[in-house]
Amino acid sequence: MNKPLTYISLFSSAGVGCYGFKQNGFECIATNEILTKRLKIQAFNNKCKYETGYLDGDISTKEIKNKLFAEIKKWQTEHKISEPDVIVATPPCQGMSVANHKKNEELTRNSLVVESIKITKEVNPKFFIFENVRAFLNTTCTDIDGTEKTIEEAIKLNLGGHYNILFKVVNFKDYGSHSSRTRTLVIGVRKDLQNISPFDIFPEKHKPKTLRKLFAGLEEINEMGKISETDIFHSFREYNPKMLSWIENLKEGQSAFQNTEKERIPHQIKNGKIVFNESKNGDKYARWYWDKEGPCVHTRNDILSSQNTVHPAENRVFSIRELMLMMSIPENFQWTHQSTEKLNKLSLLEKKMFLKKEELNIRHCIGEAVPTGVFGNIAKNIKEVLNQKVLSTTEINKIIKTEELNKTENLISFINSDFKKSRLENIYQIAEYANSSRQENSAFFTRKDIAFSVVKDLPELKGKKKIRILEPSVGIGNFIPLLVEKYEDKDEVIFDLVDIDNNSFVVLKNILEKLKLPKKFKFNFINADFLTHNFNVKYDIVVGNPPYKKLTNNQELLSLYKFSAKNNETNNLFSFFIEKAISLGNFVSLIVPKSLINSPEFNITREILKEQNLLKICDYGEKGFKGVKIETISFLLETSAKKHLETILIESYITETVEEKPKDYLFSDKFPYWLIYRNQEFDEISEKLKFDIFQSFRDRQITKQITKDNGKYRVLKSRNVGNNEVKELENYDCYIDDMENLAVAKFLNREDVVMIPNLTYYPRASFLPKNTITDGSVALLTLKNGSRLPTERDLEYYGSKEFEKFYRVARNYGTRSLNIDNNSVFFFGLLKNIDQ
């Protein structure tokens, strides 16, 4: 049995918006609303499977939250779901609306969004959708930690560790509504959902219908008090007859305040004199247009004096049915326990009594709703991405072998025939894995979710209508669709795409042709070595995933690279890419090996980066590349900033956190390299130790070829090193007779040499015994600055849980970049309280 697709709806009013999820086959686990009369409308539409799913009350109270978690547990038990698929939250927005003038009094209410954040954090759905007014993101709220932040910051810091998040202000008329409604959408996709980005579930664009087309076939109801015989909801609320003269002569787009005859201008009679009403926004008593989409629907859509409520031709406000059409609310949506068919059979008096009781509530519900079509659009996309077929590496390799896709002509033919029925991500992966030059050029496939984590924080470049983007190692271009989505509002986007492999370009051009992107996206293909190619323009953005490769077999080319680089102590290509990218771009964001932040060979590169305005570092650990055992990070910096930010955003796939921290704290000169996880506990332990005591040595000469089962000198390896002891392991030991010409021989029979296993999270130490030596799996530490000799108590501390915690932070939670070198050996300090 297939598990149902599920969702939770918070602050859901009458459930108009999330009805779009029901239409797409989603089951509602629980829906919450504080006004009972609104929640009843959801029940009329059979939104929840269980009666207990309707949560009537304040979601910030323990009682209602407990009911919510009880419903989730019920679904987990009875329907075997692991967690809800979606949380939808539309918290009250009184404190953010431009029409509200009591903003200072609304801080507590604005903080209701934090309830949505807290619940999302605890429930951990696959997706979350927050919707609110345009000013939502910049509005202050009281965050979980009690401090005041903008809502955008609160969402990022609390949920950004678990979710890739897209923040976007849009007009719903372009995304499934037929009325203008500028709103903020925040969409989160859990990071373990590989190759899915928030752009995938963002509502697709739909051209809105004009009112002329939308209202075609509706009966004219110009007569005061008239109700359509075939549709009780096609009627309008009666108004004071004196107002008729104010609006009856208005042309489309005109307000009654534009009338030239005084008696037709909205007014009151006070003490026998005409006192004109105020016209603040110019959209009161205003007639809308036939050949435009509908206006923004407000909660007071029942009165002429609200914004743009007058019908294009008739002298009345829009009917409920017309508002439903504008807000893409389906005809079968129920406003009462009685069907529309039954309501239409009532007498005129009964209809009027019904409308007198229910009309205002219905109109208010429509005015504060998300258009059903918009959420329905999102629900359809979520359903598609969750049901999509994702090929495994085994399946991809089988297709490549069977179809002989390592031949470019076969790959192109495969893409052409399979493009429509295969997911783009599968096409990208097949094309990348089929590339026979992939290993040679150290090109690794960047998954869509990882690429999104880079693209999402690139600047919006507001005010710039034409931008230029450089990809220095484009491969088959899997960043491009995300960049196109990111900058879709620009008039022109020029991509300069560079790659050393011409086969990649053949494939890339073919894929771009299939994508049929708008002409405003222009692509220049540069088949060249990025590091030697001359560029004569400055780019707004340089973004991508350069090759991770040490150049060892071409000294002439390496010399050329080093000649142009400040850091010529490395032969790793990505370091040269970083330097050149900085020289070319205003904003630079690259995915690179994590060794950048701690390895001695990148000390100079780190200094170069510190000179820039570093905005963010994202640590993927080993989660960045499937099947590739390499730790990676991405960084974002600004080269042209007049003033550098004092803080930096640290996003971590390892600790599942997003934190903003002071740069001078993380990049402190007190330590030999960057400590992006530095915290108070680390500092407290630091106070117990005196650092920079040892220098490190690791053997590079002892191999299996020169060791024996017996011999004069025992060769210890990492597993032999215990906590102040040397472990005896069966069939593990090896020996060597001849120490001549071995660099490690200088440590033989010295009493001050400390052994520590290399490449481990769990440090432990012991002294090097007599007549023994170590291979490269063990680091040998010797005093470098005349400090006291280490004691067994010092060595015991290295094996303690406290030091292990400290060491994880000191090594930036690395798993592979754990060599004990002359940078990292710094952290093996001596205890101060026994320091003489």
Side-chain angles (χ1 to χ4, degrees):
M1 186 178 77
N2 289 334
K3 291 176 184 175
L5 291 168
T6 58
Y7 73 104
I8 288 168
S9 187
L10 304 177
F11 308 102
S12 52
S13 185
V16 170
C18 46
Y19 191 76
F21 280 86
K22 181 178 173 66
Q23 285 182 305
N24 282 276
F26 282 72
E27 295 269 14
C28 184
I29 291 173
T31 180
N32 162 249
E33 170 54 37
I34 201 165
L35 295 176
T36 305
K37 61 184 179 180
R38 308 275 168 88
L39 195 63
K40 280 182 178 178
I41 294 171
Q42 300 192 48
F44 300 150
N45 287 284
N46 300 313
K47 189 170 169 183
C48 294
K49 192 180 192 77
Y50 303 108
E51 205 56 43
T52 48
Y54 299 101
L55 307 181
D56 189 349
D58 184 350
I59 193 64
S60 64
T61 64
K62 192 174 181 181
E63 178 195 359
I64 301 297
K65 277 183 186 168
N66 285 343
K67 286 182 178 180
L68 170 64
F69 295 130
E71 287 305 304
I72 295 170
K73 195 164 182 61
K74 182 193 291 186
W75 278 79
Q76 287 171 329
T77 304
E78 296 188 15
H79 299 279
K80 308 302 179 192
I81 67 164
S82 51
E83 70 282 301
D85 292 300
V86 190
I87 279 182
V88 179
T90 56
C93 60
Q94 282 89 331
M96 294 161 247
S97 171
V98 292
N100 189 286
H101 304 293
K102 298 179 181 176
K103 295 184 182 181
N104 292 335
E105 300 168 19
E106 295 289 351
L107 191 58
T108 304
R109 171 157 287 206
N110 290 346
S111 295
L112 281 174
V113 72
V114 177
E115 294 300 333
S116 305
I117 293 171
K118 283 156 73 173
I119 290 167
T120 302
K121 203 171 182 180
E122 190 163 348
V123 173
N124 197 33
K126 295 184 180 75
F127 308 92
F128 72 81
I129 300 145
F130 297 164
E131 182 273 349
N132 225 298
V133 295
R134 181 200 285 269
F136 180 60
L137 299 177
N138 295 323
T139 304
T140 303
C141 71
T142 306
D143 197 8
I144 294 169
D145 62 6
T147 63
E148 291 184 6
K149 299 184 180 79
T150 65
I151 288 173
E152 182 173 5
E153 287 175 311
I155 293 171
K156 267 187 186 176
L157 296 175
N158 286 295
L159 297 175
H162 287 270
Y163 293 88
N164 273 321
I165 306 172
L166 176 64
F167 302 87
K168 202 160 184 182
V169 176
V170 296
N171 193 321
F172 281 163
K173 71 176 184 179
D174 299 321
Y175 296 93
S177 178
H178 303 292
S179 68
S180 181
R181 197 176 186 83
T182 303
R183 308 289 280 187
T184 300
L185 271 179
V186 182
I187 292 181
V189 177
R190 212 170 60 197
K191 287 179 176 175
D192 63 332
L193 300 175
Q194 295 186 1
N195 273 318
I196 301 174
S197 91
F199 286 128
D200 291 325
I201 66 166
F202 201 81
E204 293 160 9
K205 286 203 165 183
H206 291 277
K207 191 174 180 181
K209 290 182 180 179
T210 65
L211 294 196
R212 194 182 297 279
K213 288 182 179 177
L214 200 61
F215 295 172
L218 287 181
E219 182 184 343
E220 184 181 309
I221 51 166
N222 213 7
E223 184 185 324
M224 191 80 79
K226 185 174 180 183
I227 301 171
S228 169
E229 287 186 18
T230 57
D231 186 358
I232 189 173
F233 296 115
H234 190 40
S235 62
F236 66 96
R237 198 164 172 233
E238 295 183 23
Y239 55 88
N240 190 328
K242 75 172 187 180
M243 294 182 182
L244 178 60
S245 66
W246 301 356
I247 65 167
E248 63 183 348
N249 294 335
L250 295 180
K251 293 177 181 175
E252 293 174 34
Q254 281 189 331
S255 161
F257 290 99
Q258 293 172 270
N259 282 320
T260 53
E261 299 167 62
K262 286 186 177 181
E263 63 273 15
R264 292 184 182 273
I265 298 172
H267 64 272
Q268 300 173 52
I269 305 294
K270 290 185 179 178
N271 299 322
K273 291 184 178 180
I274 291 181
V275 179
F276 294 110
N277 296 354
E278 284 189 50
S279 172
K280 288 182 180 176
N281 301 323
D283 53 8
K284 294 179 184 295
Y285 302 98
R287 191 181 292 285
W288 197 246
Y289 305 84
W290 267 128
D291 295 313
K292 278 189 176 183
E293 71 283 343
C296 183
V297 178
H298 299 278
T299 51
R300 290 314 309 267
N301 53 70
D302 59 304
I303 53 176
L304 297 171
S305 59
S306 190
Q307 296 108 308
N308 298 314
T309 56
V310 184
H311 187 278
E314 299 170 32
N315 296 321
R316 59 175 177 84
V317 296
F318 294 110
S319 70
I320 289 173
R321 181 62 65 200
E322 288 165 339
L323 295 172
M324 288 176 68
L325 288 166
M326 285 191 264
M327 292 286 283
S328 59
I329 303 169
E331 193 176 351
N332 64 355
F333 188 87
Q334 295 293 310
W335 294 109
T336 177
H337 67 283
Q338 290 179 283
S339 68
T340 306
E341 188 181 10
K342 281 187 179 180
L343 290 172
N344 287 337
K345 290 177 181 177
L346 297 175
S347 68
L348 181 61
L349 181 60
E350 288 172 322
K351 286 179 181 178
K352 286 189 174 183
M353 287 174 65
F354 169 82
L355 289 171
K356 186 176 181 181
K357 184 183 174 187
E358 303 292 348
E359 181 175 10
L360 275 183
N361 183 43
I362 293 170
R363 284 179 173 273
H364 289 174
C365 289
I366 295 173
E368 63 187 28
V370 179
T372 311
V374 174
F375 272 178
N377 204 337
I378 293 172
K380 177 180 70 71
N381 291 341
I382 290 175
K383 192 175 178 179
E384 283 178 6
V385 297
L386 288 178
N387 290 331
Q388 66 196 1
K389 166 70 175 167
V390 180
L391 296 175
S392 67
T393 306
T394 305
E395 288 172 315
I396 288 169
N397 287 330
K398 187 178 178 183
I399 291 168
I400 291 168
K401 187 176 180 181
T402 305
E403 305 287 337
E404 296 185 21
L405 301 185
N406 56 320
K407 297 175 183 175
T408 305
E409 61 272 21
N410 291 351
L411 180 58
I412 296 298
S413 177
F414 176 83
I415 291 170
N416 289 340
S417 63
D418 233 57
F419 199 84
K420 284 187 178 176
K421 59 183 178 182
S422 286
R423 284 186 66 226
L424 183 59
E425 286 64 53
N426 288 332
I427 293 286
Y428 270 130
Q429 286 193 76
I430 289 167
E432 189 76 56
Y433 281 83
N435 183 353
S436 56
S437 306
R438 184 169 159 266
Q439 292 297 332
E440 182 190 334
N441 295 325
S442 299
F444 299 118
F445 175 75
T446 313
R447 294 196 320 260
K448 182 192 280 187
D449 54 301
I450 296 296
F452 178 83
S453 74
V454 173
V455 170
K456 70 182 178 186
D457 289 308
L458 292 175
E460 298 293 334
L461 299 173
K462 289 176 181 174
K464 290 200 78 170
K465 284 298 175 186
K466 179 180 176 180
I467 65 169
R468 196 158 197 140
I469 298 173
L470 171 67
E471 261 212 71
S473 181
V474 69
I476 52 163
N478 37 342
F479 277 89
I480 293 171
L482 296 171
L483 291 164
V484 165
E485 294 272 15
K486 173 88 176 181
Y487 296 111
E488 64 168 355
D489 63 327
K490 303 299 179 190
D491 291 344
E492 186 178 40
V493 182
I494 300 169
F495 287 87
D496 280 2
L497 306 174
V498 185
D499 207 281
I500 203 165
D501 177 17
N502 192 48
N503 281 339
S504 290
F505 277 142
V506 174
V507 176
L508 171 57
K509 287 175 184 177
N510 190 252
I511 290 174
L512 289 177
E513 213 173 275
K514 293 281 178 292
L515 290 176
K516 294 179 179 174
L517 299 172
K519 289 182 180 177
K520 65 179 179 179
F521 296 102
K522 296 178 169 58
F523 300 96
N524 300 317
F525 301 94
I526 305 168
N527 182 204
D529 182 340
F530 170 73
L531 295 174
T532 57
H533 185 76
N534 289 322
F535 295 85
N536 55 13
V537 293
K538 189 82 171 176
Y539 293 90
D540 295 291
I541 288 165
V542 181
V543 63
N545 179 18
Y548 317 151
K549 179 183 178 182
K550 289 192 174 185
L551 192 62
T552 54
N553 56 358
N554 190 332
Q555 288 302 313
E556 187 179 342
L557 188 59
L558 181 60
S559 297
L560 187 60
Y561 292 163
K562 287 188 173 186
F563 180 77
S564 305
K566 290 179 183 175
N567 183 7
N568 50 30
E569 294 180 8
T570 181
N571 59 357
N572 204 314
L573 296 184
F574 83 81
S575 178
F576 304 137
F577 267 74
I578 289 173
E579 288 193 45
K580 186 156 187 179
I582 287 172
S583 73
L584 293 171
N586 292 328
F587 288 89
V588 176
S589 192
L590 301 174
I591 301 176
V592 295
K594 188 172 176 177
S595 55
L596 171 69
I597 60 178
N598 61 270
S599 176
E601 72 176 295
F602 304 119
N603 287 352
I604 295 170
T605 311
R606 285 193 295 279
E607 288 304 313
I608 293 167
L609 289 168
K610 273 174 70 175
E611 290 170 10
Q612 312 304 318
N613 186 23
L614 263 172
L615 303 172
K616 179 191 168 186
I617 292 173
C618 182
D619 182 7
Y620 305 106
E622 287 189 53
K623 297 180 182 181
F625 297 99
K626 192 176 178 182
V628 182
K629 293 180 178 179
I630 185 169
E631 292 179 279
T632 53
I633 63 165
S634 65
F635 64 81
L636 171 63
L637 60 82
E638 183 181 12
T639 63
S640 55
K642 291 176 183 175
K643 187 179 179 183
H644 287 196
L645 292 180
E646 293 178 359
T647 58
I648 185 169
L649 207 63
I650 305 294
E651 179 177 348
S652 172
Y653 276 58
I654 299 169
T655 60
E656 298 182 329
T657 55
V658 172
E659 295 181 276
E660 190 171 7
K661 291 190 173 182
K663 288 179 186 174
D664 59 5
Y665 179 69
L666 301 186
F667 307 153
S668 170
D669 292 336
K670 283 172 59 178
F671 302 104
Y673 53 76
W674 296 351
L675 298 175
I676 62 173
Y677 294 99
R678 185 179 171 187
N679 55 28
Q680 188 177 345
E681 189 177 19
F682 175 90
D683 292 343
E684 288 168 0
I685 296 171
S686 294
E687 290 302 312
K688 298 180 180 181
L689 296 167
K690 184 178 178 183
F691 295 115
D692 200 18
I693 302 298
F694 296 109
Q695 55 197 357
S696 170
F697 173 87
R698 280 178 52 238
D699 170 77
R700 308 282 180 181
Q701 297 170 287
I702 297 176
T703 62
K704 285 184 180 179
Q705 282 73 26
I706 64 170
T707 59
K708 302 185 293 184
D709 292 338
N710 293 288
K712 189 175 179 182
Y713 303 105
R714 184 182 177 189
V715 178
L716 299 176
K717 293 178 274 189
S718 58
R719 287 175 58 200
N720 291 119
V721 182
N723 195 355
N724 266 324
E725 64 172 339
V726 173
K727 294 183 176 180
E728 305 296 329
L729 302 169
E730 194 174 343
N731 300 322
Y732 185 70
D733 285 355
C734 60
Y735 296 82
I736 196 164
D737 283 329
D738 185 9
M739 297 288 288
E740 193 177 349
N741 298 324
L742 291 181
V744 74
K746 62 187 173 186
F747 299 101
L748 191 66
N749 295 328
R750 281 177 55 173
E751 294 183 354
D752 63 341
V753 180
V754 176
M755 297 187 296
I756 295 181
N758 195 48
L759 291 176
T760 181
Y761 244 158
Y762 307 103
R764 54 199 185 275
S766 62
F767 287 107
L768 180 69
K770 287 188 176 180
N771 293 322
T772 63
I773 211 62
T774 61
D775 71 4
S777 68
V778 177
L780 297 178
L781 276 52
T782 54
L783 295 173
K784 76 174 195 178
N785 56 6
S787 294
R788 67 169 174 81
L789 288 171
T791 66
E792 287 194 353
R793 187 176 164 192
D794 290 307
L795 270 53
E796 185 182 352
Y797 184 65
Y798 299 152
S800 69
K801 284 289 179 188
E802 182 175 279
F803 187 79
E804 182 192 318
K805 276 186 185 177
F806 166 84
Y807 192 63
R808 281 177 181 254
V809 175
R811 299 313 305 263
N812 287 307
Y813 286 92
T815 53
R816 296 191 178 274
S817 313
L818 283 173
N819 281 324
I820 297 174
D821 52 39
N822 283 324
N823 268 358
S824 55
V825 74
F826 174 94
F827 293 100
F828 289 93
L830 298 180
L831 290 161
K832 287 180 181 177
N833 60 358
I834 57 171
D835 196 356
Q836 302 300 318

